[in-house]
Amino acid sequence: MLDEVYLYPLIVPKSYYVKGVWDLPHYTFPAEDFILTWVFSKKANGSMGYLTREQYRALEKDEPGWQQTAFENLRGKTGESSKFYTHCKLSEDDSRVIFLAFMNEDGVGSSRVLCSHELTRAFPRGYSIAFPDRSCGFVIPDGLHEEELAGVRKMLNKTLRGASVPMSDALF
């Protein structure tokens, strides 16, 4: 299967999983409103789809390390063909990042918050993440001034209200 598709992890609302109806293979997060599942993009035409339970079982049986491959595919998408982030807000004096946004056209922006190696290097003092929409994610560095954080929360709430697949305006 991996010869024909690129796999990517995707953070989605837990409501996507409905046993017996839409039995997505998934992992749960400590933030119980979300799950991690996988999508594939066909190499031939780029069409996307969610990994089915049957495909998951086949990968588990025949493709050891497929989940790491999916993660590396995501990491690779942030290289030459696509920017790691799509938007960046800086402080008034341009000296600090207020947030990074991942609203990439590929639809797996929310998953880019999983790139902890890159994000920890960029924000060694720590950071929070948010995903108000299934297709976008945000990284907010620790240590923002109170008014900056209030502005971020307002922006996240506005993004949530306009989301095609609303998730949460909370910071994790």
Side-chain angles (χ1 to χ4, degrees):
M1 177 179 182
L2 291 181
D3 293 338
E4 301 168 14
V5 301
Y6 294 107
L7 290 170
Y8 304 101
L10 185 62
I11 299 169
V12 299
K14 77 174 180 181
S15 62
Y16 271 33
Y17 171 73
V18 181
K19 193 170 184 163
V21 177
W22 197 12
D23 191 20
L24 286 176
H26 66 279
Y27 285 117
T28 57
F29 287 112
E32 296 176 359
D33 291 338
F34 312 101
I35 60 173
L36 178 70
T37 191
W38 297 270
V39 293
F40 60 87
S41 172
K42 293 186 179 180
K43 291 181 180 179
N45 62 14
S47 64
M48 298 274 289
Y50 284 88
L51 194 67
T52 67
R53 183 67 61 182
E54 294 75 28
Q55 291 166 325
Y56 176 87
R57 285 188 194 111
L59 286 168
E60 286 289 297
K61 180 179 176 251
D62 300 331
E63 303 279 351
W66 71 270
Q67 292 175 351
Q68 184 64 39
T69 299
F71 188 75
E72 293 305 325
N73 287 342
L74 175 68
R75 187 170 265 144
K77 277 187 89 64
T78 64
E80 297 173 17
S81 64
S82 179
K83 289 197 279 182
F84 181 58
Y85 60 88
T86 58
H87 300 79
C88 177
K89 177 159 175 73
L90 298 176
S91 60
E92 287 186 18
D93 64 0
D94 291 342
S95 67
R96 296 174 296 107
V97 172
I98 304 299
F99 67 79
L100 295 180
F102 305 91
M103 297 180 193
N104 307 67
E105 290 179 16
D106 58 22
V108 292
S110 65
S111 297
R112 285 180 171 81
V113 301
L114 297 172
C115 294
S116 60
H117 176 72
E118 292 83 352
L119 294 171
T120 300
R121 288 180 58 200
F123 304 110
R125 293 179 49 205
Y127 61 90
S128 296
I129 59 173
F131 18 86
D133 191 316
R134 191 217 34 93
S135 65
C136 71
F138 289 84
V139 174
I140 300 92
D142 288 351
L144 293 183
H145 300 139
E146 194 172 310
E147 61 277 359
E148 293 168 333
L149 186 56
V152 167
R153 289 186 181 281
K154 183 177 179 181
M155 181 268 312
L156 289 172
N157 184 268
K158 181 178 179 182
T159 305
L160 176 70
R161 288 192 321 267
S164 58
V165 180
M167 297 220 318
S168 173
D169 62 353
L171 295 177
F172 300 94

